[in-house]
Structures are given as structure tokens and as C-alpha cells.
Amino acid sequence: MRKMLIVFYSWSNGNTERIAKMLQNAAGADIAQIETALPYTGSYDDVVRQGQEEVQRGYEPELKPMDVDIRKYDVIAIGTPTWWYTMAPAVLSFLHQQDWQGKTIVPFQTHGGWPGHVLKDIAAACSGAEVTYKMQVKFDSNGGDRLETPETEVAAWAQKVKTLL
């Protein structure tokens, strides 16, 4: 039987964490959160501005060490909020620190109506992996936590991902 790990980054409302935990409940997978060594500070608008600047220059922040070794997993689900049409810089850091050869990657993103090219960018950063069951989950466009993608759609996706195990 294959082993699955769900790795996610979530910042403001915990939307990406919410989807990661829904997948965990469905698949019975292990879960780990990506955290920056230096947390973002300031207001929501301050962090949005900082995030835009970081994305534009391809910044990869230092991350806190994680308690998991992805080499022990066959399937890795990777979740990120959408930051300026791509993944959060912390996720980019994480992806560039791993060897994806032979892994199956399940990318998922949360967004407020502008999904951008997040899933394509994750796939490109995971060279050597098989990428499958990509998922976009929409929340309200005001930066809130109201799920707009039907929960039944998220649950159906989670059941498909479970078949990889």
C-alpha cells in the first residue's frame, strides 16, 4: 500500500488548512504544515503587499524544519493559497528543497476568484513527479473564509485522491 502525505501552507483564514484537513479525513493520510522561519507580520494589506513583492522577485523564504521526511511517502498532496496568480513563496521554497523523482503529486490551491497558474507552477517545480488530480477551491473574493466551491465537489475530489493509496 502506498503512503500519502499532505503538505500545505496556510496564512490568513486557514482556508488551505481546511481543505488539507478535509483530504486528510477522507484519505487517512499524514499531514504537515509549511511554516516560514520568520512569520509574516502586520495587517492583511501589509502582508498582501509584501507577498506581491516576494512573488515578483521569486523570493524563497527560509522555512522552519518539518517533522516529516517526504522520502518515506509515495503520494504527496501539496496545498497553497494563491498569491498573485501563483503559489505562496513558502511553498516554492518547500518544492525546491525536495527530490520529486518517482513521486505522485496532488496539487491543490485555494483562491478568491483568481486561480492564476498555481497548479501549472507546482507541476513545473516538481520535476520527475507524476502530477494528478489537480484541484482549485474557491473561497469568497474578499479574503474571507466562505467556501464557494461546493463542499460535495471537494469531497468527491478527496475520494478520487484516496484511490491513489
Side-chain angles (χ1 to χ4, degrees):
M1 181 175 222
R2 299 172 82 194
K3 275 186 83 173
M4 179 176 174
L5 174 66
I6 302 162
V7 179
F8 70 93
Y9 177 77
S10 200
W11 182 72
S12 63
N13 291 310
N15 293 339
T16 308
E17 179 176 16
R18 181 172 158 192
I19 301 306
K21 287 183 175 178
M22 289 172 74
L23 179 56
Q24 180 189 32
N25 288 337
D30 294 338
I31 193 166
Q33 184 169 1
I34 298 168
E35 297 179 87
T36 55
L38 295 173
Y40 290 96
T41 59
S43 70
Y44 177 82
D45 289 338
D46 291 340
V47 175
V48 167
R49 277 190 294 278
Q50 180 180 348
Q52 180 182 20
E53 185 270 326
E54 289 179 356
V55 165
Q56 288 174 342
R57 64 183 170 101
Y59 178 68
E60 295 184 25
E62 181 181 343
L63 304 177
K64 289 183 180 178
M66 296 176 76
D67 292 358
V68 296
D69 179 355
I70 72 156
R71 294 175 295 188
K72 295 180 181 180
Y73 296 89
D74 309 294
V75 178
I76 297 120
I78 301 166
T80 182
T82 303
W83 283 30
W84 298 99
Y85 307 102
T86 191
M87 69 191 91
V91 177
L92 184 62
S93 290
F94 173 77
L95 296 180
H96 283 163
Q97 293 172 4
Q98 311 303 324
D99 177 5
W100 298 108
Q101 291 296 323
K103 303 291 184 189
T104 299
I105 302 302
V106 177
F108 65 98
Q109 72 176 110
T110 56
H111 65 89
W114 308 277
H117 38 84
V118 175
L119 300 176
K120 180 180 155 191
D121 294 347
I122 291 173
C126 295
S127 180
E130 174 191 353
V131 180
T132 189
Y133 296 130
K134 301 173 187 175
M135 182 64 173
Q136 296 177 351
V137 182
K138 184 178 179 187
F139 283 82
D140 69 82
S141 61
N142 296 318
D145 62 358
R146 189 180 77 249
L147 181 62
E148 291 192 2
T149 298
E151 196 164 327
T152 55
E153 198 175 305
V154 177
W157 164 74
Q159 288 303 312
K160 285 183 196 172
V161 173
K162 184 179 177 180
T163 67
L164 295 170
L165 304 180

